Amino acid sequence: ANIDTLLFSMGEGLRILPVAALHDGKQFLIEKYSLSLIPSISLMDTNYRPLQGTQVLAMGASKFINEKPLPAVPVEIETISEQLWEGSKFLNEEFTKNNLLTQRKNYPYPIIHLATHATFNRGKPSNSYIQLWGNEQIKLDQVRELGWSNPSVDLLVLSACRTAVGNREAELGFAGLAVAAGVKSALTSLWNVSDEGTLALMTEFYTHLNGMTIKAEALRQAQLAMLQGKVVIIGGELRGSSTRGWVELPSALANVNNQNLSHPYYWAGFTMVGSPW
């Protein structure tokens, strides 16, 4: 039938399944198809809008009060907003809810990239949050207040841990709620991935997104590059699959050397939620 994309609408208990890591004994599922999880067909925006030539709003934090530092975040948001895509970046003290609202009000960024810690806890929606600077957080039940549906955010990237996990109250976690709140597609994660592994996946994703029309296919190509050993860390540098050049790791990650990122741990947890297009 010439199918190249699979959409999964999972029942409770299956939503944390890393479908990219499904294996038939010969190959992984992503070696045949690009993949996307959807809360439901009714919540899916099927209209196609190209992202090439648009701008990204990249925000994140590398220092925290009650969480471990994320030293790769400054490199991640700078590389994405200045080398791989055009846009604006805001780090640490500038990563506040008010600034997030202000920047999107001043310019309708179709891509929002948030690099930080996130925690999804069962129970009340207010127990789950995306960590901003200091003590400030975006609670799960505050996502609808961010105005991401007017105008619609085409791609929300939550470069944080476990943002696609959910339960009956919030199917597919922050990602599912963001899609329900008007975001067309969300790239999120099912488990905690190392700082350098996240940096590798994100730089590969934006590299491929620049030359492709389908977001889920850009994610697939990034995952394939990691699976095939084309993305490695050598001599304190992250070397990718393209000719974009090397990304120098921050000094805090200088001890990470000669690392192979092909294991599914590094790439299979990243999931596209919502429209694959």
Side-chain angles (χ1 to χ4, degrees), residues 9-271:
S9 184
M10 299 294 218
E12 185 181 3
L14 287 175
R15 294 172 196 141
I16 59 172
L17 178 71
V19 292
L22 292 177
H23 199 276
D24 65 1
K26 296 181 180 179
Q27 61 183 351
F28 289 102
L29 194 61
I30 61 159
E31 294 182 78
K32 291 186 67 177
Y33 305 103
S34 56
L35 312 170
S36 185
L37 301 183
I38 56 173
S40 69
I41 289 288
S42 63
L43 291 177
M44 209 177 117
D45 180 356
T46 57
N47 295 316
Y48 175 72
R49 294 182 291 273
L51 289 175
Q52 285 72 19
T54 62
Q55 294 199 26
V56 60
L57 174 59
M59 306 182 84
S62 60
K63 304 172 185 177
F64 303 89
I65 297 174
N66 298 314
E67 304 269 11
K68 68 176 183 179
L70 297 174
V73 165
V75 177
E76 178 181 324
I77 65 173
E78 179 177 346
T79 302
I80 289 168
S81 63
E82 296 183 0
Q83 298 180 32
L84 303 177
W85 213 268
E86 289 188 5
S88 304
K89 62 179 174 60
F90 300 91
L91 179 67
N92 290 331
E93 294 91 342
E94 298 176 319
F95 184 31
T96 64
K97 182 180 178 182
N98 184 59
N99 195 26
L100 175 59
L101 292 170
T102 299
Q103 295 302 323
R104 185 96 205 298
K105 183 178 180 181
N106 290 341
Y107 183 83
Y109 293 94
I111 305 175
I112 296 179
H113 183 105
L114 304 182
T116 182
H117 282 293
T119 298
F120 190 95
N121 295 313
R122 291 185 175 275
K124 297 187 298 183
S126 58
N127 293 341
S128 303
Y129 59 87
I130 297 173
Q131 186 64 50
L132 306 182
W133 175 248
N135 290 316
E136 193 174 11
Q137 299 170 340
I138 296 175
K139 304 289 189 179
L140 185 62
D141 55 359
Q142 296 176 325
V143 172
R144 295 181 186 275
E145 303 170 8
L146 299 175
W148 286 344
S149 63
N150 186 28
S152 176
V153 173
D154 279 294
L155 175 62
L156 171 66
V157 179
L158 297 174
S159 176
C161 54
R162 302 182 71 241
T163 46
V165 180
N167 57 23
R168 289 179 180 174
E169 289 74 34
E171 185 176 8
L172 294 173
F174 281 100
L177 197 55
V179 170
V183 172
K184 184 176 181 183
S185 311
L187 175 55
T188 57
S189 60
L190 292 170
W191 58 69
N192 303 352
V193 180
S194 66
D195 210 18
E196 63 275 12
T198 300
L199 176 63
L201 189 284
M202 291 300 165
T203 53
E204 279 294 309
F205 171 68
Y206 279 96
T207 298
H208 291 287
L209 186 65
N210 217 353
M212 293 186 174
T213 57
I214 298 177
K215 302 165 198 165
E217 180 62 17
L219 174 60
R220 173 177 176 263
Q221 290 300 324
Q223 292 173 314
L224 286 176
M226 296 178 73
L227 168 64
Q228 294 165 359
K230 297 177 181 178
V231 184
V232 295
I233 295 174
I234 299 177
E237 295 174 331
L238 172 64
R239 304 186 182 186
S241 63
S242 71
T243 57
R244 68 166 189 268
W246 302 335
V247 177
E248 185 174 350
L249 296 180
S251 57
L253 297 176
N255 62 331
V256 179
N257 196 18
N258 299 331
Q259 185 167 336
N260 186 320
L261 301 172
S262 62
H263 192 280
Y265 160 74
Y266 293 106
W267 51 262
F270 292 98
T271 304

